[in-house]
Amino acid sequence: MRPQPLLVIALLALSVAWAVLVFEMVQSRAARQQEMGTGRLGWREIAWPFPRDGWPAGRAFRCQSATCVQDSEIYLRAKLGFCNCDTGVADDDEVDRVADIDLINPRFAAPAPGRVVRVADLSGRARNYDLESGEGAPHSAIGYALSHRCDLMVAVIKGSAAQPLLEQAAQQFLASHEVQRWMLAALESGK
C-alpha cells in the first residue's frame, strides 16, 4: 500500500515547521545570553526558581566558572512603582523587605548594617546576609535594592563563598554594560 501524496506532503511540511521552531528557540536563547553578556562573564541563565508572587518573575543566572565564584547564583527583577520617589531606598529595613532574600531562605540574618551603593544610573543600598542552612555548610547572600525614579531593581547573589568574593562577583556582573542596559530597559518598560 502506497502512502497518499497529500499525507506525505503534510508530514513533510509539519517536520519542516517543527525544525524551524526548534531552531528559532535555540537561536532566541543564544541571542538572549549574548545580549546579557553572561557567557563571557562565566554566568549561564537559568529558569526563575521562585514561585509566583505579586511581582513578575525576574532573570536568574548561575556561575559556571572560576571567574564568577562557582556555584553562586544571581537573581534580578524590577519592581515597578515600588519605591519612594523622593527618598529612594532609605534604610536597611527596606532592603530586608524588598530584596527577595526571603524567597531564597526565610531564615536569614544580617550580621552588619548595609551600605549605600551605586550601579549605573541606579542608587540604593546593599546588605550582607547569613542564610541558615540545614546542610551544615555556611551560605551567604547579598541583597541590592536600587532605585530609579519611583521604581526598584532588586538583585541578590547567593553562594557558599565568603561574602567579599560574592560581592566582587556581583559588582562585576552588575557593572557589565549588557546587564546595566537590561536593568534600565526593564525599569523603563513600565513608563
Side-chain angles (χ1 to χ4, degrees), residues 158-187:
K158 75 155 186 140
S160 58
Q163 287 180 342
L165 292 174
L166 288 176
E167 185 169 7
Q168 182 180 7
Q171 287 175 352
Q172 180 183 10
F173 182 83
L174 295 172
S176 73
H177 176 71
E178 297 85 359
V179 173
Q180 289 182 13
R181 188 176 62 216
W182 176 83
M183 288 191 307
L184 292 174
L187 290 169

mmCIF file of all heavy atoms in Angstrom, residues 158-187:
data_model
loop_
_atom_site.group_PDB
_atom_site.id
_atom_site.type_symbol
_atom_site.label_atom_id
_atom_site.label_comp_id
_atom_site.label_asym_id
_atom_site.label_seq_id
_atom_site.Cartn_x
_atom_site.Cartn_y
_atom_site.Cartn_z
ATOM 1 N N LYS A 158 23.785 34.749 45.854
ATOM 2 C CA LYS A 158 23.910 33.803 46.972
ATOM 3 C C LYS A 158 24.930 32.746 46.614
ATOM 4 O O LYS A 158 25.148 32.433 45.443
ATOM 5 C CB LYS A 158 22.573 33.161 47.307
ATOM 6 C CG LYS A 158 22.156 32.117 46.298
ATOM 7 C CD LYS A 158 21.226 31.111 46.903
ATOM 8 C CE LYS A 158 20.972 30.023 45.881
ATOM 9 N NZ LYS A 158 20.927 28.730 46.414
ATOM 10 N N GLY A 159 25.563 32.210 47.640
ATOM 11 C CA GLY A 159 26.539 31.158 47.418
ATOM 12 C C GLY A 159 27.212 30.773 48.720
ATOM 13 O O GLY A 159 26.932 31.334 49.776
ATOM 14 N N SER A 160 28.124 29.815 48.623
ATOM 15 C CA SER A 160 28.819 29.339 49.818
ATOM 16 C C SER A 160 30.180 30.007 49.993
ATOM 17 O O SER A 160 30.865 29.768 50.979
ATOM 18 C CB SER A 160 28.987 27.811 49.757
ATOM 19 O OG SER A 160 29.699 27.452 48.598
ATOM 20 N N ALA A 161 30.569 30.871 49.066
ATOM 21 C CA ALA A 161 31.851 31.570 49.165
ATOM 22 C C ALA A 161 31.760 32.679 50.215
ATOM 23 O O ALA A 161 30.678 33.076 50.636
ATOM 24 C CB ALA A 161 32.223 32.167 47.814
ATOM 25 N N ALA A 162 32.900 33.180 50.606
ATOM 26 C CA ALA A 162 32.954 34.294 51.548
ATOM 27 C C ALA A 162 32.279 35.517 50.935
ATOM 28 O O ALA A 162 32.328 35.721 49.721
ATOM 29 C CB ALA A 162 34.408 34.615 51.884
ATOM 30 N N GLN A 163 31.672 36.329 51.795
ATOM 31 C CA GLN A 163 30.919 37.479 51.304
ATOM 32 C C GLN A 163 31.746 38.445 50.459
ATOM 33 O O GLN A 163 31.236 38.959 49.465
ATOM 34 C CB GLN A 163 30.221 38.186 52.463
ATOM 35 C CG GLN A 163 29.050 37.369 52.961
ATOM 36 C CD GLN A 163 28.294 38.000 54.114
ATOM 37 O OE1 GLN A 163 28.790 38.886 54.789
ATOM 38 N NE2 GLN A 163 27.088 37.512 54.336
ATOM 39 N N PRO A 164 33.019 38.713 50.774
ATOM 40 C CA PRO A 164 33.780 39.604 49.886
ATOM 41 C C PRO A 164 33.904 39.061 48.453
ATOM 42 O O PRO A 164 33.862 39.830 47.497
ATOM 43 C CB PRO A 164 35.155 39.700 50.564
ATOM 44 C CG PRO A 164 34.871 39.436 52.012
ATOM 45 C CD PRO A 164 33.770 38.412 52.006
ATOM 46 N N LEU A 165 34.037 37.744 48.306
ATOM 47 C CA LEU A 165 34.103 37.158 46.965
ATOM 48 C C LEU A 165 32.769 37.272 46.253
ATOM 49 O O LEU A 165 32.706 37.563 45.050
ATOM 50 C CB LEU A 165 34.541 35.696 47.042
ATOM 51 C CG LEU A 165 35.975 35.452 47.502
ATOM 52 C CD1 LEU A 165 36.242 33.959 47.671
ATOM 53 C CD2 LEU A 165 36.964 36.070 46.525
ATOM 54 N N LEU A 166 31.675 37.036 46.984
ATOM 55 C CA LEU A 166 30.343 37.185 46.389
ATOM 56 C C LEU A 166 30.108 38.629 45.959
ATOM 57 O O LEU A 166 29.575 38.885 44.877
ATOM 58 C CB LEU A 166 29.255 36.749 47.372
ATOM 59 C CG LEU A 166 29.127 35.260 47.638
ATOM 60 C CD1 LEU A 166 28.071 35.005 48.714
ATOM 61 C CD2 LEU A 166 28.778 34.495 46.370
ATOM 62 N N GLU A 167 30.505 39.563 46.802
ATOM 63 C CA GLU A 167 30.312 40.976 46.473
ATOM 64 C C GLU A 167 31.098 41.362 45.223
ATOM 65 O O GLU A 167 30.587 42.059 44.345
ATOM 66 C CB GLU A 167 30.717 41.857 47.644
ATOM 67 C CG GLU A 167 30.413 43.316 47.388
ATOM 68 C CD GLU A 167 30.562 44.178 48.621
ATOM 69 O OE1 GLU A 167 31.027 43.683 49.669
ATOM 70 O OE2 GLU A 167 30.207 45.358 48.529
ATOM 71 N N GLN A 168 32.310 40.893 45.116
ATOM 72 C CA GLN A 168 33.127 41.190 43.939
ATOM 73 C C GLN A 168 32.480 40.613 42.677
ATOM 74 O O GLN A 168 32.408 41.287 41.651
ATOM 75 C CB GLN A 168 34.534 40.623 44.121
ATOM 76 C CG GLN A 168 35.466 40.921 42.980
ATOM 77 C CD GLN A 168 36.855 40.328 43.218
ATOM 78 O OE1 GLN A 168 37.084 39.583 44.164
ATOM 79 N NE2 GLN A 168 37.778 40.660 42.350
ATOM 80 N N ALA A 169 31.985 39.379 42.761
ATOM 81 C CA ALA A 169 31.323 38.759 41.605
ATOM 82 C C ALA A 169 30.060 39.524 41.229
ATOM 83 O O ALA A 169 29.789 39.759 40.044
ATOM 84 C CB ALA A 169 31.001 37.300 41.904
ATOM 85 N N ALA A 170 29.269 39.919 42.231
ATOM 86 C CA ALA A 170 28.035 40.665 41.959
ATOM 87 C C ALA A 170 28.345 42.014 41.324
ATOM 88 O O ALA A 170 27.690 42.420 40.361
ATOM 89 C CB ALA A 170 27.236 40.848 43.240
ATOM 90 N N GLN A 171 29.334 42.706 41.842
ATOM 91 C CA GLN A 171 29.682 44.014 41.296
ATOM 92 C C GLN A 171 30.159 43.901 39.852
ATOM 93 O O GLN A 171 29.800 44.720 39.010
ATOM 94 C CB GLN A 171 30.725 44.693 42.167
ATOM 95 C CG GLN A 171 30.148 45.191 43.471
ATOM 96 C CD GLN A 171 31.204 45.772 44.403
ATOM 97 O OE1 GLN A 171 32.408 45.688 44.162
ATOM 98 N NE2 GLN A 171 30.739 46.361 45.492
ATOM 99 N N GLN A 172 30.939 42.871 39.563
ATOM 100 C CA GLN A 172 31.404 42.667 38.186
ATOM 101 C C GLN A 172 30.222 42.392 37.268
ATOM 102 O O GLN A 172 30.124 42.941 36.177
ATOM 103 C CB GLN A 172 32.402 41.512 38.129
ATOM 104 C CG GLN A 172 32.927 41.262 36.729
ATOM 105 C CD GLN A 172 33.857 40.053 36.678
ATOM 106 O OE1 GLN A 172 33.980 39.296 37.628
ATOM 107 N NE2 GLN A 172 34.497 39.867 35.538
ATOM 108 N N PHE A 173 29.296 41.544 37.713
ATOM 109 C CA PHE A 173 28.123 41.213 36.913
ATOM 110 C C PHE A 173 27.250 42.448 36.704
ATOM 111 O O PHE A 173 26.872 42.770 35.577
ATOM 112 C CB PHE A 173 27.333 40.104 37.614
ATOM 113 C CG PHE A 173 26.120 39.643 36.858
ATOM 114 C CD1 PHE A 173 26.235 38.705 35.851
ATOM 115 C CD2 PHE A 173 24.863 40.139 37.171
ATOM 116 C CE1 PHE A 173 25.115 38.263 35.161
ATOM 117 C CE2 PHE A 173 23.736 39.703 36.488
ATOM 118 C CZ PHE A 173 23.867 38.770 35.479
ATOM 119 N N LEU A 174 26.924 43.154 37.792
ATOM 120 C CA LEU A 174 26.031 44.310 37.701
ATOM 121 C C LEU A 174 26.668 45.475 36.953
ATOM 122 O O LEU A 174 25.962 46.303 36.380
ATOM 123 C CB LEU A 174 25.604 44.754 39.098
ATOM 124 C CG LEU A 174 24.747 43.756 39.874
ATOM 125 C CD1 LEU A 174 24.556 44.215 41.316
ATOM 126 C CD2 LEU A 174 23.410 43.522 39.192
ATOM 127 N N ALA A 175 27.989 45.556 36.938
ATOM 128 C CA ALA A 175 28.680 46.644 36.251
ATOM 129 C C ALA A 175 28.825 46.403 34.755
ATOM 130 O O ALA A 175 29.176 47.328 34.021
ATOM 131 C CB ALA A 175 30.061 46.862 36.869
ATOM 132 N N SER A 176 28.544 45.193 34.296
ATOM 133 C CA SER A 176 28.705 44.918 32.864
ATOM 134 C C SER A 176 27.695 45.744 32.065
ATOM 135 O O SER A 176 26.564 45.981 32.495
ATOM 136 C CB SER A 176 28.538 43.427 32.566
ATOM 137 O OG SER A 176 27.189 43.045 32.678
ATOM 138 N N HIS A 177 28.124 46.197 30.933
ATOM 139 C CA HIS A 177 27.301 47.060 30.080
ATOM 140 C C HIS A 177 25.973 46.386 29.727
ATOM 141 O O HIS A 177 24.920 47.015 29.764
ATOM 142 C CB HIS A 177 28.083 47.429 28.815
ATOM 143 C CG HIS A 177 27.294 48.239 27.843
ATOM 144 N ND1 HIS A 177 26.969 49.553 28.089
ATOM 145 C CD2 HIS A 177 26.738 47.906 26.654
ATOM 146 C CE1 HIS A 177 26.255 50.010 27.061
ATOM 147 N NE2 HIS A 177 26.108 49.034 26.193
ATOM 148 N N GLU A 178 26.027 45.106 29.400
ATOM 149 C CA GLU A 178 24.824 44.391 28.971
ATOM 150 C C GLU A 178 23.798 44.295 30.095
ATOM 151 O O GLU A 178 22.607 44.477 29.888
ATOM 152 C CB GLU A 178 25.185 42.986 28.474
ATOM 153 C CG GLU A 178 26.075 42.966 27.257
ATOM 154 C CD GLU A 178 27.570 43.070 27.594
ATOM 155 O OE1 GLU A 178 27.919 43.178 28.796
ATOM 156 O OE2 GLU A 178 28.371 43.066 26.669
ATOM 157 N N VAL A 179 24.251 44.006 31.303
ATOM 158 C CA VAL A 179 23.336 43.881 32.440
ATOM 159 C C VAL A 179 22.761 45.248 32.787
ATOM 160 O O VAL A 179 21.549 45.378 33.026
ATOM 161 C CB VAL A 179 24.043 43.234 33.650
ATOM 162 C CG1 VAL A 179 23.146 43.257 34.883
ATOM 163 C CG2 VAL A 179 24.448 41.802 33.313
ATOM 164 N N GLN A 180 23.585 46.276 32.792
ATOM 165 C CA GLN A 180 23.081 47.620 33.072
ATOM 166 C C GLN A 180 22.033 48.031 32.048
ATOM 167 O O GLN A 180 20.998 48.594 32.405
ATOM 168 C CB GLN A 180 24.230 48.626 33.098
ATOM 169 C CG GLN A 180 25.119 48.478 34.297
ATOM 170 C CD GLN A 180 26.223 49.517 34.340
ATOM 171 O OE1 GLN A 180 26.219 50.501 33.606
ATOM 172 N NE2 GLN A 180 27.185 49.300 35.217
ATOM 173 N N ARG A 181 22.293 47.744 30.785
ATOM 174 C CA ARG A 181 21.336 48.090 29.727
ATOM 175 C C ARG A 181 20.017 47.357 29.947
ATOM 176 O O ARG A 181 18.942 47.938 29.830
ATOM 177 C CB ARG A 181 21.926 47.754 28.358
ATOM 178 C CG ARG A 181 21.069 48.260 27.204
ATOM 179 C CD ARG A 181 21.713 48.015 25.866
ATOM 180 N NE ARG A 181 21.881 46.591 25.663
ATOM 181 C CZ ARG A 181 22.898 46.034 25.041
ATOM 182 N NH1 ARG A 181 23.855 46.760 24.553
ATOM 183 N NH2 ARG A 181 22.967 44.726 24.899
ATOM 184 N N TRP A 182 20.083 46.067 30.304
ATOM 185 C CA TRP A 182 18.853 45.312 30.548
ATOM 186 C C TRP A 182 18.105 45.863 31.763
ATOM 187 O O TRP A 182 16.880 46.008 31.729
ATOM 188 C CB TRP A 182 19.154 43.824 30.756
ATOM 189 C CG TRP A 182 17.899 43.092 31.104
ATOM 190 C CD1 TRP A 182 16.966 42.620 30.219
ATOM 191 C CD2 TRP A 182 17.397 42.804 32.407
ATOM 192 N NE1 TRP A 182 15.922 42.056 30.911
ATOM 193 C CE2 TRP A 182 16.160 42.155 32.250
ATOM 194 C CE3 TRP A 182 17.871 43.034 33.694
ATOM 195 C CZ2 TRP A 182 15.392 41.723 33.337
ATOM 196 C CZ3 TRP A 182 17.107 42.609 34.778
ATOM 197 C CH2 TRP A 182 15.886 41.954 34.588
ATOM 198 N N MET A 183 18.827 46.171 32.847
ATOM 199 C CA MET A 183 18.161 46.677 34.056
ATOM 200 C C MET A 183 17.423 47.983 33.764
ATOM 201 O O MET A 183 16.256 48.148 34.149
ATOM 202 C CB MET A 183 19.177 46.886 35.196
ATOM 203 C CG MET A 183 19.681 45.606 35.801
ATOM 204 S SD MET A 183 20.643 45.800 37.334
ATOM 205 C CE MET A 183 21.899 46.970 36.899
ATOM 206 N N LEU A 184 18.090 48.906 33.081
ATOM 207 C CA LEU A 184 17.444 50.185 32.777
ATOM 208 C C LEU A 184 16.259 49.997 31.839
ATOM 209 O O LEU A 184 15.210 50.629 32.006
ATOM 210 C CB LEU A 184 18.458 51.176 32.203
ATOM 211 C CG LEU A 184 19.527 51.640 33.199
ATOM 212 C CD1 LEU A 184 20.587 52.503 32.504
ATOM 213 C CD2 LEU A 184 18.901 52.392 34.360
ATOM 214 N N ALA A 185 16.374 49.102 30.860
ATOM 215 C CA ALA A 185 15.260 48.830 29.953
ATOM 216 C C ALA A 185 14.085 48.200 30.717
ATOM 217 O O ALA A 185 12.921 48.556 30.462
ATOM 218 C CB ALA A 185 15.702 47.905 28.820
ATOM 219 N N ALA A 186 14.366 47.316 31.652
ATOM 220 C CA ALA A 186 13.298 46.690 32.444
ATOM 221 C C ALA A 186 12.590 47.738 33.291
ATOM 222 O O ALA A 186 11.357 47.699 33.440
ATOM 223 C CB ALA A 186 13.868 45.581 33.319
ATOM 224 N N LEU A 187 13.326 48.677 33.835
ATOM 225 C CA LEU A 187 12.720 49.719 34.653
ATOM 226 C C LEU A 187 11.933 50.714 33.794
ATOM 227 O O LEU A 187 10.910 51.236 34.229
ATOM 228 C CB LEU A 187 13.790 50.447 35.470
ATOM 229 C CG LEU A 187 14.405 49.617 36.581
ATOM 230 C CD1 LEU A 187 15.629 50.317 37.162
ATOM 231 C CD2 LEU A 187 13.399 49.311 37.676
#
